[in-house]
Amino acid sequence: MLFALLVRLAPPKTSPLVQLAHFDAGHGATAAALTQAEKAGAAGAGRGVLARVQGQSGRWLAWQLTRRGVGYTSLRQDLALTGRTVEDALGRKITLAGAGLLLGLLATVGLTVAGLALPAGAPVILALVLAAAFFFLPDLDARTEAARRREEFRRALGAYLDLVALEMAGSAAPAEALPSAARIGAGWPLALIRDTLYRATRGGRNPWTALADLGQRIGVGELRDLGQLIALVAHDGARVRSTLTARAQTMRRHELANLEGKAGKADQSMRIAQILIGLGFIAFLGYPAVVAVLSF
C-alpha cells in the first residue's frame, strides 16, 4: 500500500525516447487501422455480393486445406509471382466450378428441349466435367503468367550475378556487393531482391539463405540452389566470385538454348504454314480441271 502511494505521488520518469516510441507505435497502429478501414469500406462499396462470397469461400477452403496438411506448393509459388493471394485464387476456383456446373446443367436442358435424347446420367457427367475443367482454369492462368515472370526473373538474375561478381572483384565484401549490385537495376526482379536483402539485413539473417528462401518461395530453382551453395563457401570470397560467374554463364547458355528452341519451333510453324498455303494454291488451280473432267 505504501509503495503504491509513493508511486502515485512521485511517478517514475519515462525517457523521452521511450515516450516518442510509444507515440509512434500508437500513431502507426491508428493510421494502419484507419487505412484498413478505408480500404475495407471502399472494397465493400465497390465489390458485389459475388466478390464477397468468393473471398469468404476462398478463405474457408484455404483453412480446410491447411487443417488437412495440403500445402498447394506449386500454386503458392505461382501466385507469389502474380501478386494474388491463395485465398483469392481458391475463391475463383470455387466460383468457376459452380459456374461450370450450372453451365453443364443448362446445356443438357437446352439439348433436351431441342429434342436430343441423352442417356441416363449424361447431364450429371457433363456438369461434373465442366465443373472440374473450370475448377483448374485459375491454376492454368497463374501457371502461364508465373512462367513468363520466372523467365524474366532468370534473365535479370544472370545480369545481377555478374554485377555481384564485378563488385566483389573490386574488393567488396559479399554483404556490401549484394545490395550494391541490386541498386543498379530498376526492374521488379531486382526490386524483389533488394527487398529480400533489406529484410534479411534488418532481421540479422544470412543474405544467401534469404535469397535461397526467395527462390523456394517463387519457384526459381537456380536462385534456391545458388543460395544454398554459396552459404557453404561464404567464407571464401574467391570461391564465391568464381561460383557466381560460373552460374551466370550457365544461366546465359540455358537462356540461349531456350531462345534457339523457340526460334526452331517458330521456323517449323512457318514451314508448315507455307506447305499448307502451297497445297491450297494447288487445290485452287486444279479444282476447275477436276470439275471439268468429272462433268463428262
Side-chain angles (χ1 to χ4, degrees):
M1 182 68 69
L2 182 59
F3 179 75
L5 180 61
L6 291 176
V7 170
R8 176 69 64 178
L9 294 176
K13 294 183 179 180
T14 306
S15 172
L17 293 177
V18 176
Q19 294 178 1
L20 181 61
H22 285 305
F23 175 76
D24 289 339
H27 179 72
T30 305
L34 291 175
T35 304
Q36 188 68 23
E38 292 176 357
K39 291 182 178 179
R47 298 170 61 187
V49 177
L50 180 61
R52 290 195 294 270
V53 172
Q54 178 177 322
Q56 292 176 0
S57 60
R59 286 189 292 271
W60 175 82
L61 183 57
W63 180 66
Q64 293 293 333
L65 292 176
T66 303
R67 284 185 57 191
R68 288 161 175 79
V70 179
Y72 243 125
T73 304
S74 60
L75 180 61
R76 291 179 183 273
Q77 290 176 344
D78 294 337
L79 293 175
L81 284 171
T82 59
R84 293 191 293 267
T85 62
V86 180
E87 290 77 10
D88 292 339
L90 294 177
R92 286 186 60 203
K93 289 164 72 70
I94 294 176
T95 304
L96 289 176
L101 185 66
L102 182 60
L103 182 62
L105 294 177
L106 292 177
T108 54
V109 171
L111 293 175
T112 304
V113 172
L116 182 62
L118 297 176
V124 177
I125 295 176
L126 179 60
L128 291 178
V129 169
L130 286 178
F134 280 35
F135 183 79
F136 289 103
L137 282 180
D139 297 51
L140 181 61
D141 184 23
R143 186 174 296 110
T144 303
E145 185 177 356
R148 178 181 59 83
R149 287 179 172 268
R150 284 193 185 99
E151 185 177 357
E152 184 178 355
F153 186 88
R154 289 187 179 99
R155 287 197 299 267
L157 180 60
Y160 172 69
L161 295 181
D162 283 332
L163 292 175
V164 174
L166 289 175
E167 291 282 346
M168 294 185 65
S171 301
E176 300 174 356
L178 288 172
S180 177
R183 284 193 295 267
I184 296 177
W188 69 266
L190 292 181
L192 183 59
I193 292 176
R194 284 196 300 269
D195 180 72
T196 303
L197 294 175
Y198 174 77
R199 293 177 181 274
T201 303
R202 294 295 299 270
R205 299 181 59 200
N206 187 346
W208 296 112
T209 304
L211 291 177
D213 293 341
L214 174 63
Q216 176 66 29
R217 182 165 59 89
I218 64 178
V220 178
E222 292 84 355
L223 182 59
R224 181 190 63 241
D225 298 338
L226 177 65
Q228 294 175 354
L229 179 62
I230 296 297
L232 299 176
V233 296
H235 60 280
D236 192 346
R239 294 182 62 182
V240 171
R241 188 170 64 252
S242 62
T243 302
L244 293 177
T245 304
R247 182 54 61 94
Q249 294 176 354
T250 302
M251 294 183 67
R252 280 195 295 270
R253 287 194 296 266
H254 182 68
E255 181 181 358
L256 181 60
N258 289 335
L259 292 177
E260 290 177 350
K262 292 180 180 179
K265 291 181 180 179
D267 185 55
Q268 189 70 22
S269 301
M270 290 297 297
R271 290 181 180 179
I272 294 175
Q274 291 173 358
I275 292 173
L276 292 177
I277 292 174
L279 292 176
F281 185 70
I282 293 173
F284 177 75
L285 293 179
Y287 178 75
V290 173
V291 171
V293 171
L294 293 179
S295 62
F296 288 106

